[in-house]
C-alpha cells in the first residue's frame, strides 16, 4: 500500500469517527435505544465483511487476525444490542 492510499484511509477513518460522534450526541435520549437496535443490522453487515476477510485466500495473516477480531466484536455488539432491545420491549408488555 502506498502512502497516498494510507493517508486517504486515515482521512476516511477520522471523518467517519467525527461524524459518528456528532450524530450520536445530537440524538435525544428517548430515541437512542430504538436507533441503536436498528444499527444492529449494520453490525450484521460488519459480520459478513469480517467473515470474508478471515476466509479470503489472498489476504495476509494480519488481515485474517483483524477480520477475526472484527467478527468477535461485531458479534458481541449484535448479541448485546438485541438483548438490550428485548429487555426494553419487555418493559412495555402488559403483565
Amino acid at each position: 500500500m502506498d502512502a497516498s492510499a494510507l493517508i486517504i484511509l486515515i482521512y476516511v477513518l477520522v471523518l467517519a469517527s467525527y461524524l459518528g460522534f456528532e450524530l450520536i450526541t445530537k440524538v435525544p435520549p428517548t430515541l437512542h435505544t430504538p436507533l441503536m437496535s436498528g444499527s444492529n443490522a449494520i453490525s450484521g453487515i460488519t459480520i459478513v465483511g469480517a467473515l470474508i476477510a478471515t476466509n479470503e485466500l489472498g489476504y495476509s495473516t494480519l488481515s485474517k487476525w483483524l477480520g477475526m477480531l472484527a467478527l468477535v466484536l461485531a458479534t458481541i455488539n449484535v448479541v448485546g444490542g438485541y438483548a438490550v432491545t428485548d429487555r426494553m420491549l419487555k418493559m412495555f408488555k402488559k403483565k
Side-chain angles (χ1 to χ4, degrees):
M1 180 184 311
D2 61 344
S4 63
L6 183 62
I7 290 173
I8 290 173
L9 289 175
I10 291 173
Y11 175 74
V12 169
L13 175 67
V14 170
L15 183 63
S17 299
Y18 175 74
L19 289 176
F21 177 77
E22 287 297 319
L23 179 69
I24 293 297
T25 57
K26 303 288 189 257
V27 173
T30 55
L31 292 178
H32 189 264
T33 303
L35 287 175
M36 291 309 290
S37 67
S39 72
N40 283 329
I42 296 171
S43 288
I45 295 169
T46 306
I47 290 175
V48 171
L51 283 172
I52 291 171
T54 56
N55 197 21
E56 198 66 32
L57 290 176
Y59 290 156
S60 68
T61 305
L62 177 64
S63 297
K64 290 183 181 188
W65 279 106
L66 289 175
M68 188 64 180
L69 178 66
L71 179 63
V72 169
L73 293 176
T75 303
I76 290 170
N77 188 28
V78 168
V79 171
Y82 282 119
V84 168
T85 303
D86 186 52
R87 185 175 174 190
M88 181 191 72
L89 290 176
K90 284 182 182 176
M91 291 182 350
F92 295 104
K93 285 187 178 179
K94 294 181 180 181
K95 296 183 179 193

